[in-house]
Protein backbone atom coordinates (compact mmCIF):
# COMPACT_ATOMS: atom_id res chain seq x y z
CA UNK A 1 0.00 0.00 0.00
CA UNK A 2 1.21 3.50 -0.77
CA UNK A 3 2.39 5.44 2.28
CA UNK A 4 1.04 8.86 3.14
CA UNK A 5 3.54 11.66 2.62
CA UNK A 6 3.16 14.08 5.53
CA UNK A 7 3.43 16.99 3.10
CA UNK A 8 0.35 15.87 1.19
CA UNK A 9 -3.22 16.54 2.27
CA UNK A 10 -5.29 13.39 2.96
CA UNK A 11 -7.43 11.93 0.16
CA UNK A 12 -11.13 12.16 1.01
CA UNK A 13 -14.51 11.01 -0.25
CA UNK A 14 -16.82 13.43 -2.07
CA UNK A 15 -18.20 14.46 1.33
CA UNK A 16 -14.80 15.08 2.92
CA UNK A 17 -14.24 11.90 4.92
CA UNK A 18 -10.61 10.68 4.82
CA UNK A 19 -9.90 7.61 2.67
CA UNK A 20 -7.79 5.01 4.45
CA UNK A 21 -7.06 2.74 1.45
CA UNK A 22 -7.41 3.77 -2.19
CA UNK A 23 -5.57 0.74 -3.62
CA UNK A 24 -7.55 -2.27 -2.37
CA UNK A 25 -11.28 -2.87 -2.52
CA UNK A 26 -13.04 -4.10 0.61
CA UNK A 27 -13.75 -7.82 0.39
CA UNK A 28 -15.16 -10.66 2.47
CA UNK A 29 -11.80 -12.02 3.56
CA UNK A 30 -8.61 -11.71 1.49
CA UNK A 31 -9.89 -13.87 -1.38
CA UNK A 32 -13.60 -13.18 -1.17
CA UNK A 33 -16.05 -11.13 -3.25
CA UNK A 34 -16.48 -7.38 -2.95
CA UNK A 35 -18.73 -5.81 -0.34
CA UNK A 36 -21.47 -3.30 -1.09
CA UNK A 37 -20.48 -1.46 2.09
CA UNK A 38 -17.29 -0.27 0.34
CA UNK A 39 -18.87 3.04 -0.58
CA UNK A 40 -15.51 4.56 -1.52
CA UNK A 41 -15.41 2.10 -4.44
CA UNK A 42 -19.01 2.67 -5.52
CA UNK A 43 -18.69 6.43 -5.18
CA UNK A 44 -15.63 6.36 -7.44
CA UNK A 45 -17.21 4.08 -10.02
CA UNK A 46 -20.59 5.82 -10.05
CA UNK A 47 -19.01 9.25 -10.39
CA UNK A 48 -16.60 7.98 -13.07
CA UNK A 49 -19.52 6.63 -15.12
CA UNK A 50 -21.07 10.10 -15.18
CA UNK A 51 -18.04 12.13 -16.25
CA UNK A 52 -18.92 12.29 -19.95
CA UNK A 53 -22.14 12.37 -21.91
CA UNK A 54 -23.40 10.80 -24.02
CA UNK A 55 -20.61 8.62 -25.46
CA UNK A 56 -19.03 5.78 -23.54
CA UNK A 57 -16.32 6.82 -21.06
CA UNK A 58 -14.11 4.04 -22.46
CA UNK A 59 -14.54 1.98 -25.63
CA UNK A 60 -16.36 4.90 -27.28
CA UNK A 61 -15.03 4.17 -30.77
CA UNK A 62 -16.31 0.84 -32.06
CA UNK A 63 -17.86 -1.33 -34.75
CA UNK A 64 -20.31 -4.22 -34.53
CA UNK A 65 -21.81 -7.17 -36.38
CA UNK A 66 -24.23 -10.04 -35.88
CA UNK A 67 -23.39 -13.69 -36.23
CA UNK A 68 -23.66 -17.17 -34.80
CA UNK A 69 -21.92 -19.18 -32.11
CA UNK A 70 -21.91 -22.92 -32.84
CA UNK A 71 -21.08 -25.40 -30.06
CA UNK A 72 -18.56 -28.03 -31.16
CA UNK A 73 -18.02 -29.97 -27.94
CA UNK A 74 -20.15 -31.47 -25.18
CA UNK A 75 -19.25 -29.43 -22.10
CA UNK A 76 -22.07 -30.64 -19.83
CA UNK A 77 -19.52 -32.10 -17.39
CA UNK A 78 -18.53 -28.50 -16.60
CA UNK A 79 -21.61 -26.31 -17.22
CA UNK A 80 -25.40 -26.60 -17.51
CA UNK A 81 -25.68 -23.53 -19.76
CA UNK A 82 -28.28 -24.42 -22.40
CA UNK A 83 -26.53 -22.70 -25.33
CA UNK A 84 -23.52 -24.97 -24.71
CA UNK A 85 -25.66 -28.07 -24.15
CA UNK A 86 -25.06 -30.05 -27.35
CA UNK A 87 -22.72 -30.27 -30.32
CA UNK A 88 -24.04 -28.31 -33.29
CA UNK A 89 -26.34 -26.02 -31.30
CA UNK A 90 -26.40 -22.49 -32.77
CA UNK A 91 -26.94 -19.24 -30.86
CA UNK A 92 -27.36 -15.76 -32.34
CA UNK A 93 -24.64 -13.29 -31.28
CA UNK A 94 -23.97 -9.57 -31.52
CA UNK A 95 -20.30 -8.53 -31.34
CA UNK A 96 -18.81 -5.10 -30.72
CA UNK A 97 -15.11 -4.31 -31.18
CA UNK A 98 -13.61 -1.06 -29.97
CA UNK A 99 -10.58 0.94 -28.97
CA UNK A 100 -10.33 1.97 -25.31
CA UNK A 101 -8.93 5.47 -24.86
CA UNK A 102 -10.10 7.36 -27.94
CA UNK A 103 -13.32 9.31 -28.24
CA UNK A 104 -16.09 8.65 -30.75
CA UNK A 105 -14.28 10.46 -33.55
CA UNK A 106 -10.83 8.96 -32.94
CA UNK A 107 -8.90 6.90 -35.50
CA UNK A 108 -9.05 3.10 -35.45
CA UNK A 109 -5.37 2.38 -36.22
CA UNK A 110 -3.82 3.38 -32.90
CA UNK A 111 -1.81 1.62 -30.20
CA UNK A 112 -4.50 0.70 -27.71
CA UNK A 113 -6.18 -2.43 -26.36
CA UNK A 114 -9.30 -3.49 -28.25
CA UNK A 115 -12.60 -4.32 -26.66
CA UNK A 116 -14.03 -7.72 -27.67
CA UNK A 117 -17.63 -7.85 -26.44
CA UNK A 118 -20.22 -10.51 -27.24
CA UNK A 119 -23.94 -10.75 -26.53
CA UNK A 120 -25.30 -14.31 -26.81
CA UNK A 121 -29.10 -14.29 -27.33
CA UNK A 122 -29.73 -17.63 -25.57
CA UNK A 123 -33.07 -19.26 -24.77
CA UNK A 124 -32.34 -18.67 -21.08
CA UNK A 125 -31.75 -14.94 -21.53
CA UNK A 126 -28.84 -12.88 -22.78
CA UNK A 127 -25.31 -13.81 -21.79
CA UNK A 128 -22.74 -11.02 -22.21
CA UNK A 129 -19.02 -11.71 -22.38
CA UNK A 130 -17.16 -8.42 -22.16
CA UNK A 131 -13.46 -8.88 -22.86
CA UNK A 132 -10.46 -7.51 -24.74
CA UNK A 133 -7.96 -8.60 -27.38
CA UNK A 134 -5.42 -9.21 -24.61
CA UNK A 135 -5.68 -11.94 -21.98
CA UNK A 136 -4.59 -9.57 -19.18
CA UNK A 137 -5.23 -5.98 -18.09
CA UNK A 138 -3.28 -3.13 -16.49
CA UNK A 139 -4.66 -3.34 -12.96
CA UNK A 140 -6.13 -5.90 -10.60
CA UNK A 141 -8.42 -3.82 -8.34
CA UNK A 142 -11.39 -1.72 -9.54
CA UNK A 143 -10.57 1.08 -7.11
CA UNK A 144 -7.71 2.00 -9.43
CA UNK A 145 -9.72 1.96 -12.67
CA UNK A 146 -10.94 5.59 -12.74
CA UNK A 147 -7.42 6.77 -11.89
CA UNK A 148 -5.89 4.61 -14.61
CA UNK A 149 -8.31 5.80 -17.29
CA UNK A 150 -7.73 9.43 -16.30
CA UNK A 151 -4.05 8.94 -17.20
CA UNK A 152 -5.04 7.66 -20.65
CA UNK A 153 -7.55 10.41 -21.38
CA UNK A 154 -6.97 14.10 -22.02
CA UNK A 155 -5.14 16.05 -19.32
CA UNK A 156 -7.40 18.64 -17.61
CA UNK A 157 -4.87 21.42 -18.27
CA UNK A 158 -3.38 20.64 -21.69
CA UNK A 159 -6.40 18.90 -23.23
CA UNK A 160 -4.09 16.18 -24.63
CA UNK A 161 -2.96 12.75 -23.52
CA UNK A 162 0.23 13.41 -21.55
CA UNK A 163 3.16 10.95 -21.37
CA UNK A 164 3.95 12.30 -17.90
CA UNK A 165 0.58 11.09 -16.61
CA UNK A 166 0.76 7.76 -18.42
CA UNK A 167 4.22 6.79 -17.26
CA UNK A 168 3.84 8.25 -13.78
CA UNK A 169 0.92 5.90 -13.19
CA UNK A 170 2.62 2.92 -14.86
CA UNK A 171 5.81 3.43 -12.86
CA UNK A 172 3.96 3.73 -9.56
CA UNK A 173 1.78 0.70 -10.39
CA UNK A 174 4.15 -2.21 -11.19
CA UNK A 175 1.19 -4.53 -11.82
CA UNK A 176 0.76 -2.75 -15.19
CA UNK A 177 4.07 -4.14 -16.53
CA UNK A 178 2.65 -7.32 -18.07
CA UNK A 179 -0.08 -5.55 -20.03
CA UNK A 180 2.28 -2.75 -21.09
CA UNK A 181 4.58 -5.34 -22.71
CA UNK A 182 1.53 -6.64 -24.62
CA UNK A 183 0.46 -3.13 -25.59
CA UNK A 184 3.85 -1.97 -26.91
CA UNK A 185 4.58 -5.27 -28.65
CA UNK A 186 3.50 -6.13 -32.18
CA UNK A 187 -0.08 -6.98 -31.17
CA UNK A 188 -0.60 -3.50 -29.74
CA UNK A 189 -1.94 -2.33 -33.14
CA UNK A 190 -4.08 -4.98 -34.89
CA UNK A 191 -4.33 -4.62 -38.67
CA UNK A 192 -8.10 -5.06 -38.38
CA UNK A 193 -10.73 -6.33 -35.98
CA UNK A 194 -10.83 -9.54 -38.03
CA UNK A 195 -7.13 -10.23 -37.50
CA UNK A 196 -6.94 -10.22 -33.72
CA UNK A 197 -7.73 -12.71 -30.97
CA UNK A 198 -10.29 -12.09 -28.27
CA UNK A 199 -10.29 -13.07 -24.61
CA UNK A 200 -12.83 -13.08 -21.82
CA UNK A 201 -9.77 -11.96 -19.83
CA UNK A 202 -11.48 -12.43 -16.45
CA UNK A 203 -11.98 -15.73 -14.68
CA UNK A 204 -15.61 -16.89 -14.64
CA UNK A 205 -17.46 -19.72 -12.93
CA UNK A 206 -19.03 -22.62 -14.75
CA UNK A 207 -21.24 -24.99 -12.77
CA UNK A 208 -22.83 -28.27 -13.85
CA UNK A 209 -26.12 -29.99 -13.11
CA UNK A 210 -24.58 -31.72 -10.10
CA UNK A 211 -23.67 -28.37 -8.54
CA UNK A 212 -19.93 -28.74 -9.11
CA UNK A 213 -18.07 -25.49 -9.78
CA UNK A 214 -15.18 -24.80 -12.16
CA UNK A 215 -13.17 -21.69 -12.96
CA UNK A 216 -12.90 -20.87 -16.66
CA UNK A 217 -11.13 -18.46 -19.04
CA UNK A 218 -12.32 -17.84 -22.63
CA UNK A 219 -10.07 -17.60 -25.70
CA UNK A 220 -11.24 -16.59 -29.21
CA UNK A 221 -8.53 -17.40 -31.76
CA UNK A 222 -8.93 -15.62 -35.08
CA UNK A 223 -9.29 -17.99 -38.04
CA UNK A 224 -7.99 -15.22 -40.33
CA UNK A 225 -4.59 -15.28 -38.62
CA UNK A 226 -2.94 -12.54 -36.59
CA UNK A 227 -2.00 -9.43 -38.59
CA UNK A 228 -0.60 -6.26 -37.05
CA UNK A 229 0.65 -2.80 -37.99
CA UNK A 230 3.92 -1.15 -37.08
CA UNK A 231 3.78 2.28 -35.48
CA UNK A 232 4.81 3.83 -38.78
CA UNK A 233 2.19 1.94 -40.80
CA UNK A 234 -0.51 2.80 -38.30
CA UNK A 235 0.33 6.51 -38.38
CA UNK A 236 -0.11 6.57 -42.15
CA UNK A 237 -3.33 4.54 -42.08
CA UNK A 238 -4.87 6.57 -39.25
CA UNK A 239 -4.27 9.75 -41.20
CA UNK A 240 -5.47 8.34 -44.52
CA UNK A 241 -8.51 6.44 -43.23
CA UNK A 242 -9.52 7.04 -39.60
CA UNK A 243 -12.38 4.55 -40.06
CA UNK A 244 -10.09 1.77 -41.32
CA UNK A 245 -11.09 -1.02 -38.93
CA UNK A 246 -14.80 -0.25 -38.99
CA UNK A 247 -14.72 -0.10 -42.79
CA UNK A 248 -12.74 -3.35 -43.06
CA UNK A 249 -15.22 -5.30 -40.93
CA UNK A 250 -18.27 -3.97 -42.75
CA UNK A 251 -16.86 -4.49 -46.24
CA UNK A 252 -15.57 -8.00 -45.49
CA UNK A 253 -19.07 -9.06 -44.43
CA UNK A 254 -20.59 -7.36 -47.49
CA UNK A 255 -18.20 -9.40 -49.69
CA UNK A 256 -19.23 -12.62 -47.98
CA UNK A 257 -15.82 -13.03 -46.30
CA UNK A 258 -17.32 -13.76 -42.91
CA UNK A 259 -14.75 -13.47 -40.10
CA UNK A 260 -14.63 -16.29 -37.61
CA UNK A 261 -12.93 -17.32 -34.40
CA UNK A 262 -12.30 -20.71 -32.81
CA UNK A 263 -13.52 -20.65 -29.21
CA UNK A 264 -11.52 -22.39 -26.51
CA UNK A 265 -11.50 -22.40 -22.73
CA UNK A 266 -9.13 -23.18 -19.89
CA UNK A 267 -10.74 -24.90 -16.92
CA UNK A 268 -9.70 -25.37 -13.27
CA UNK A 269 -11.84 -27.30 -10.77
CA UNK A 270 -12.81 -24.83 -8.06
CA UNK A 271 -11.26 -26.99 -5.34
CA UNK A 272 -7.82 -26.77 -6.98
CA UNK A 273 -7.64 -22.99 -7.37
CA UNK A 274 -5.84 -22.27 -4.11
CA UNK A 275 -2.91 -24.50 -5.00
CA UNK A 276 -1.93 -23.22 -8.44
CA UNK A 277 1.20 -21.13 -9.08
CA UNK A 278 -0.50 -17.82 -9.90
CA UNK A 279 -3.59 -16.25 -8.40
CA UNK A 280 -6.28 -17.44 -10.87
CA UNK A 281 -8.41 -14.38 -10.13
CA UNK A 282 -5.70 -11.80 -10.86
CA UNK A 283 -6.50 -10.01 -14.14
CA UNK A 284 -2.83 -9.11 -14.65
CA UNK A 285 -1.91 -12.81 -14.92
CA UNK A 286 -2.46 -15.52 -17.53
CA UNK A 287 -2.95 -19.21 -16.85
CA UNK A 288 0.05 -20.96 -18.45
CA UNK A 289 -1.19 -23.25 -21.21
CA UNK A 290 1.22 -25.97 -20.12
CA UNK A 291 -0.56 -26.08 -16.76
CA UNK A 292 -4.10 -25.59 -18.07
CA UNK A 293 -4.45 -26.62 -21.75
CA UNK A 294 -6.90 -24.99 -24.13
CA UNK A 295 -10.10 -26.98 -24.80
CA UNK A 296 -12.03 -26.21 -27.99
CA UNK A 297 -15.77 -25.68 -27.40
CA UNK A 298 -17.13 -23.78 -30.40
CA UNK A 299 -16.88 -21.44 -33.34
CA UNK A 300 -17.97 -17.82 -33.71
CA UNK A 301 -18.81 -16.40 -37.16
CA UNK A 302 -20.02 -12.89 -38.01
CA UNK A 303 -22.17 -12.65 -41.14
CA UNK A 304 -24.54 -9.66 -40.87
CA UNK A 305 -23.91 -5.94 -40.57
CA UNK A 306 -26.10 -3.63 -38.49
CA UNK A 307 -28.68 -1.64 -40.41
CA UNK A 308 -28.11 1.47 -38.29
CA UNK A 309 -24.84 2.14 -36.48
CA UNK A 310 -26.33 4.42 -33.84
CA UNK A 311 -29.28 2.18 -32.98
CA UNK A 312 -27.34 -1.06 -32.91
CA UNK A 313 -23.68 -0.27 -32.21
CA UNK A 314 -23.77 2.94 -30.19
CA UNK A 315 -26.82 1.93 -28.17
CA UNK A 316 -25.65 -1.64 -27.62
CA UNK A 317 -25.12 -2.21 -23.91
CA UNK A 318 -22.97 -5.06 -22.61
CA UNK A 319 -22.57 -6.02 -18.98
CA UNK A 320 -20.54 -8.86 -17.44
CA UNK A 321 -23.36 -9.14 -14.88
CA UNK A 322 -25.63 -10.66 -17.56
CA UNK A 323 -25.30 -14.35 -16.76
CA UNK A 324 -27.40 -17.42 -17.58
CA UNK A 325 -27.88 -20.63 -15.57
CA UNK A 326 -24.58 -22.51 -15.39
CA UNK A 327 -22.33 -19.45 -15.63
CA UNK A 328 -21.45 -16.93 -12.92
CA UNK A 329 -18.83 -14.62 -11.44
CA UNK A 330 -15.56 -15.38 -9.70
CA UNK A 331 -13.76 -13.51 -6.90
CA UNK A 332 -11.76 -11.63 -9.57
CA UNK A 333 -11.86 -8.13 -8.07
CA UNK A 334 -11.87 -6.35 -11.43
CA UNK A 335 -14.79 -8.49 -12.59
CA UNK A 336 -16.65 -7.82 -9.35
CA UNK A 337 -16.28 -4.08 -9.88
CA UNK A 338 -17.43 -4.33 -13.49
CA UNK A 339 -20.57 -6.24 -12.43
CA UNK A 340 -21.80 -2.93 -11.04
CA UNK A 341 -20.04 -0.36 -13.22
CA UNK A 342 -21.17 -1.49 -16.68
CA UNK A 343 -24.88 -1.67 -15.97
CA UNK A 344 -24.71 1.61 -14.11
CA UNK A 345 -22.93 3.28 -17.04
CA UNK A 346 -25.62 2.12 -19.48
CA UNK A 347 -28.45 3.24 -17.22
CA UNK A 348 -26.87 6.68 -17.20
CA UNK A 349 -25.71 6.86 -20.82
CA UNK A 350 -28.65 5.22 -22.64
CA UNK A 351 -31.36 5.09 -19.98
CA UNK A 352 -32.82 2.82 -17.34
CA UNK A 353 -34.61 0.83 -20.08
CA UNK A 354 -31.52 0.30 -22.25
CA UNK A 355 -32.06 -3.46 -22.14
CA UNK A 356 -35.43 -3.05 -23.90
CA UNK A 357 -33.83 -1.73 -27.10
CA UNK A 358 -33.87 -4.27 -29.96
CA UNK A 359 -30.11 -4.84 -29.96
CA UNK A 360 -30.06 -5.43 -26.20
CA UNK A 361 -33.27 -7.26 -25.39
CA UNK A 362 -33.42 -11.07 -25.44
CA UNK A 363 -34.14 -12.50 -28.90
CA UNK A 364 -34.81 -16.12 -28.01
CA UNK A 365 -36.95 -15.55 -24.93
CA UNK A 366 -38.93 -12.77 -23.23
CA UNK A 367 -37.84 -10.55 -20.36
CA UNK A 368 -40.43 -10.64 -17.58
CA UNK A 369 -39.70 -8.06 -14.90
CA UNK A 370 -41.45 -5.57 -12.63
CA UNK A 371 -39.34 -2.67 -13.88
CA UNK A 372 -41.50 0.22 -15.08
CA UNK A 373 -41.35 3.79 -16.36
CA UNK A 374 -38.24 5.85 -17.01
CA UNK A 375 -36.65 7.05 -20.24
CA UNK A 376 -37.33 4.80 -23.27
CA UNK A 377 -40.08 2.83 -21.49
CA UNK A 378 -42.40 1.42 -24.15
CA UNK A 379 -45.43 0.60 -21.98
CA UNK A 380 -45.21 -3.10 -22.75
CA UNK A 381 -46.61 -4.13 -19.36
CA UNK A 382 -49.81 -2.09 -19.78
CA UNK A 383 -51.62 -2.09 -16.44
CA UNK A 384 -50.18 -5.32 -15.03
CA UNK A 385 -49.02 -5.43 -11.41
CA UNK A 386 -45.68 -3.69 -10.85
CA UNK A 387 -44.79 -5.44 -7.59
CA UNK A 388 -43.92 -8.93 -6.33
CA UNK A 389 -45.14 -11.04 -4.62
CA UNK A 390 -48.61 -10.58 -6.10
CA UNK A 391 -51.77 -12.66 -6.46
CA UNK A 392 -52.49 -11.68 -10.06
CA UNK A 393 -50.41 -14.32 -11.79
CA UNK A 394 -47.31 -12.22 -12.44
CA UNK A 395 -43.86 -13.78 -12.95
CA UNK A 396 -42.36 -15.39 -9.84
CA UNK A 397 -38.89 -16.36 -8.67
CA UNK A 398 -37.62 -19.84 -9.51
CA UNK A 399 -35.68 -20.51 -6.33
CA UNK A 400 -32.80 -21.81 -8.48
CA UNK A 401 -29.52 -19.83 -8.38
CA UNK A 402 -27.69 -19.24 -11.66
CA UNK A 403 -24.31 -20.20 -10.23
CA UNK A 404 -22.78 -22.19 -7.39
CA UNK A 405 -22.10 -20.57 -4.04
CA UNK A 406 -18.53 -19.50 -3.28
CA UNK A 407 -17.18 -20.09 0.23
CA UNK A 408 -15.75 -16.98 1.90
CA UNK A 409 -14.05 -16.39 5.23
CA UNK A 410 -12.13 -13.75 7.13
CA UNK A 411 -12.79 -10.27 8.43
CA UNK A 412 -14.13 -7.50 6.25
CA UNK A 413 -11.57 -4.88 5.27
CA UNK A 414 -9.43 -3.48 2.46
CA UNK A 415 -7.41 -6.56 1.52
CA UNK A 416 -4.75 -7.32 -1.02
CA UNK A 417 -5.42 -10.66 -2.71
CA UNK A 418 -3.99 -13.75 -0.95
CA UNK A 419 -0.59 -14.56 -2.49
CA UNK A 420 0.23 -17.65 -4.52
CA UNK A 421 3.73 -19.05 -4.66
CA UNK A 422 4.76 -17.36 -7.91
CA UNK A 423 2.73 -14.17 -7.64
CA UNK A 424 4.55 -11.01 -8.51
CA UNK A 425 4.13 -8.26 -11.07
CA UNK A 426 7.10 -9.12 -13.27
CA UNK A 427 7.49 -12.88 -13.91
CA UNK A 428 4.88 -13.15 -16.65
CA UNK A 429 5.91 -9.85 -18.25
CA UNK A 430 9.45 -11.17 -18.52
CA UNK A 431 8.23 -14.50 -19.86
CA UNK A 432 6.25 -12.70 -22.57
CA UNK A 433 9.28 -10.65 -23.61
CA UNK A 434 11.48 -13.76 -23.83
CA UNK A 435 8.85 -15.50 -26.01
CA UNK A 436 9.17 -12.75 -28.62
CA UNK A 437 11.56 -13.28 -31.54
CA UNK A 438 14.52 -10.85 -31.62
CA UNK A 439 12.98 -8.54 -34.23
CA UNK A 440 9.80 -8.16 -32.18
CA UNK A 441 11.86 -7.52 -29.04
CA UNK A 442 13.64 -4.75 -30.92
CA UNK A 443 10.34 -3.17 -31.98
CA UNK A 444 9.06 -3.41 -28.40
CA UNK A 445 12.09 -1.50 -27.11
CA UNK A 446 11.69 1.11 -29.86
CA UNK A 447 7.99 1.58 -29.11
CA UNK A 448 8.52 1.84 -25.36
CA UNK A 449 11.50 4.17 -25.69
CA UNK A 450 9.60 6.50 -27.99
CA UNK A 451 6.76 6.82 -25.50
CA UNK A 452 8.85 7.08 -22.33
CA UNK A 453 11.25 9.60 -23.90
CA UNK A 454 8.31 11.96 -24.38
CA UNK A 455 8.08 12.48 -20.61
CA UNK A 456 8.94 16.05 -19.59
CA UNK A 457 12.67 16.84 -19.39
CA UNK A 458 12.48 17.67 -15.67
CA UNK A 459 10.75 14.41 -14.71
CA UNK A 460 13.61 11.92 -14.77
CA UNK A 461 12.05 10.27 -11.73
CA UNK A 462 9.12 9.09 -13.87
CA UNK A 463 11.50 7.73 -16.51
CA UNK A 464 13.65 5.92 -13.96
CA UNK A 465 10.68 4.20 -12.31
CA UNK A 466 9.34 3.06 -15.67
CA UNK A 467 12.65 1.60 -16.78
CA UNK A 468 13.19 -0.05 -13.39
CA UNK A 469 9.92 -1.98 -13.69
CA UNK A 470 10.95 -3.40 -17.10
CA UNK A 471 14.39 -4.26 -15.74
CA UNK A 472 12.71 -6.28 -12.98
CA UNK A 473 10.79 -8.17 -15.68
CA UNK A 474 13.94 -8.86 -17.70
CA UNK A 475 17.39 -7.38 -17.05
CA UNK A 476 18.25 -7.31 -20.74
CA UNK A 477 15.01 -5.53 -21.63
CA UNK A 478 15.68 -2.93 -18.95
CA UNK A 479 19.25 -2.29 -20.11
CA UNK A 480 18.25 -1.93 -23.78
CA UNK A 481 15.37 0.35 -22.85
CA UNK A 482 17.52 2.55 -20.60
CA UNK A 483 20.03 3.07 -23.40
CA UNK A 484 17.33 3.77 -26.01
CA UNK A 485 15.55 6.30 -23.79
CA UNK A 486 18.78 8.12 -22.96
CA UNK A 487 19.64 8.40 -26.62
CA UNK A 488 16.23 9.85 -27.44
CA UNK A 489 16.38 12.31 -24.55
CA UNK A 490 19.94 13.34 -25.40
CA UNK A 491 21.29 12.36 -21.99
Amino acid sequence: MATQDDRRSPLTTETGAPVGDNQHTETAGPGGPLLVQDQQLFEKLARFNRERIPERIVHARGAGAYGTFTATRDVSRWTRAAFLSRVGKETEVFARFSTVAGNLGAADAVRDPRGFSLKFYTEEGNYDLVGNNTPVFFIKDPSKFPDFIHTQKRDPYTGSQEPDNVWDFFGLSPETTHQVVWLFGDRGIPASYRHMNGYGSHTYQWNNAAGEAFWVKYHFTTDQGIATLTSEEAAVLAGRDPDSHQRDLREAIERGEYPSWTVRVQIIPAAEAAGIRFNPFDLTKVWPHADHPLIEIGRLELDRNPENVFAEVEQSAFSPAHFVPGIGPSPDKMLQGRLFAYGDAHRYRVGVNADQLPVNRPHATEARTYGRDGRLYDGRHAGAANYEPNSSGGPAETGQPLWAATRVSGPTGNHAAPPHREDDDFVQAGNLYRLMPPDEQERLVTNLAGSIAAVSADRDDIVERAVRNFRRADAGLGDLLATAVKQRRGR
Side-chain angles (χ1 to χ4, degrees):
M1 181 186 298
T3 58
Q4 176 67 46
D5 187 326
D6 292 337
R7 295 170 296 178
R8 300 172 60 186
S9 58
L11 177 69
T12 74
T13 65
E14 297 283 349
T15 53
V19 174
D21 191 327
N22 195 43
Q23 307 300 313
H24 303 106
T25 298
E26 190 168 356
T27 57
L34 274 58
L35 300 177
V36 173
Q37 71 186 39
D38 187 353
Q39 287 305 297
Q40 162 67 358
L41 169 67
F42 292 122
E43 179 183 276
K44 287 182 71 174
L45 292 178
R47 189 189 193 288
F48 177 69
N49 281 341
R50 290 159 174 80
E51 287 182 359
R52 303 286 187 277
I53 56 174
E55 70 180 32
R56 290 168 169 86
I57 299 295
V58 289
H59 298 278
R61 173 66 175 168
Y66 294 92
T68 302
F69 170 79
T70 304
T72 60
R73 183 188 181 102
D74 178 5
V75 296
S76 58
R77 60 179 288 196
W78 299 301
T79 179
R80 56 194 170 94
F83 78 102
L84 299 171
S85 61
R86 60 178 174 81
V87 174
K89 185 174 179 60
E90 296 183 349
T91 301
E92 183 187 5
V93 172
F94 181 73
R96 185 177 187 271
F97 309 115
S98 56
T99 54
V100 174
N103 57 24
L104 191 57
D108 290 337
V110 294
R111 187 172 299 281
D112 201 13
R114 301 302 193 274
F116 195 103
S117 297
L118 302 172
K119 187 180 295 290
F120 298 82
Y121 301 101
T122 89
E123 65 264 48
E124 297 178 298
N126 289 353
Y127 172 48
D128 289 358
L129 188 60
V130 189
N132 283 322
N133 71 328
T134 60
V136 294
F137 195 60
F138 297 90
I139 53 176
K140 62 183 73 174
D141 193 293
S143 284
K144 303 184 74 163
F145 186 73
D147 302 297
F148 161 63
I149 294 298
H150 284 167
T151 73
Q152 308 300 300
K153 291 287 191 175
R154 297 181 185 276
D155 181 84
Y157 176 70
T158 67
S160 302
Q161 187 189 59
E162 291 297 333
D164 287 21
N165 300 343
V166 171
W167 288 104
D168 191 32
F169 183 87
F170 286 168
L172 292 170
S173 306
E175 70 204 66
T176 64
T177 306
H178 191 187
Q179 172 74 325
V180 171
V181 173
W182 273 92
L183 178 60
F184 283 84
D186 284 356
R187 298 194 184 189
I189 314 180
S192 79
Y193 291 133
R194 297 181 296 128
H195 292 89
M196 68 182 190
N197 290 345
Y199 303 88
S201 301
H202 294 289
T203 299
Y204 294 91
Q205 186 202 88
W206 274 6
N207 57 93
N208 62 21
E212 298 172 307
F214 303 85
W215 303 124
V216 60
K217 279 186 178 288
Y218 296 93
H219 299 249
F220 296 78
T221 305
T222 174
D223 295 329
Q224 290 69 237
I226 294 289
T228 62
L229 300 171
T230 66
S231 296
E232 295 75 17
E233 291 169 338
V236 172
L237 180 59
R240 186 179 70 236
D241 182 8
D243 302 328
S244 57
H245 289 35
Q246 179 174 317
R247 188 188 314 281
D248 174 87
L249 179 64
R250 184 186 71 249
E251 292 182 351
I253 293 174
E254 288 174 347
R255 293 192 304 269
E257 297 177 13
Y258 302 141
S260 64
W261 289 260
T262 299
V263 187
R264 299 180 175 90
V265 293
Q266 292 175 284
I267 297 175
I268 298 176
E272 298 178 11
I276 70 172
R277 291 189 289 153
F278 301 100
N279 181 355
F281 311 118
D282 181 348
L283 187 55
T284 68
K285 303 290 192 300
V286 297
W287 296 359
H289 292 184
D291 297 348
H292 312 286
L294 294 173
I295 301 169
E296 182 178 333
I297 65 164
R299 185 173 183 270
L300 170 69
E301 181 179 85
L302 303 180
D303 59 7
R304 180 165 66 91
N305 286 315
E307 294 296 323
N308 184 282
V309 172
F310 177 79
E312 298 168 85
V313 179
E314 290 310 306
Q315 292 193 124
S316 62
F318 299 84
S319 171
H322 293 167
F323 294 112
V324 293
I327 304 177
S330 78
D332 177 339
K333 288 186 177 183
M334 282 296 294
L335 172 60
Q336 293 270 322
R338 293 175 83 204
L339 297 179
F340 162 76
Y342 275 61
D344 185 59
H346 299 315
R347 285 185 288 272
Y348 167 68
R349 189 179 67 87
V350 183
V352 71
N353 292 301
D355 289 331
Q356 294 183 15
L357 293 172
V359 70
N360 298 322
R361 67 182 178 225
H363 289 189
T365 186
E366 178 187 357
R368 296 175 292 275
T369 77
Y370 291 98
R372 301 289 191 274
D373 304 341
R375 186 169 54 159
L376 300 180
Y377 181 60
D378 60 8
R380 67 182 57 190
H381 302 95
N386 62 350
Y387 60 90
E388 199 279 330
N390 63 66
S391 58
S392 56
E397 61 193 15
T398 67
Q400 300 296 318
L402 299 186
W403 56 81
T406 302
R407 184 176 297 278
V408 298
S409 63
T412 64
N414 299 94
H415 301 288
H420 289 236
R421 64 181 184 273
E422 292 188 28
D423 270 344
D424 75 15
D425 294 323
F426 307 104
V427 168
Q428 292 196 353
N431 290 343
L432 177 59
Y433 171 72
R434 289 183 288 273
L435 282 173
M436 296 177 177
D439 60 330
E440 185 174 355
Q441 290 180 343
E442 183 177 345
R443 288 189 293 273
L444 171 66
V445 171
T446 298
N447 294 335
L448 286 170
S451 183
I452 296 172
V455 169
S456 297
D458 61 346
R459 293 306 309 268
D460 284 344
D461 59 314
I462 293 177
V463 173
E464 290 167 2
R465 277 195 300 270
V467 172
R468 182 166 61 245
N469 284 343
F470 292 109
R471 183 173 280 118
R472 293 177 69 181
D474 184 275
L477 169 59
D479 292 343
L480 290 171
L481 185 56
T483 299
V485 171
K486 286 181 180 178
Q487 290 174 343
R488 286 175 176 261
R489 288 170 69 85
R491 305 291 173 87

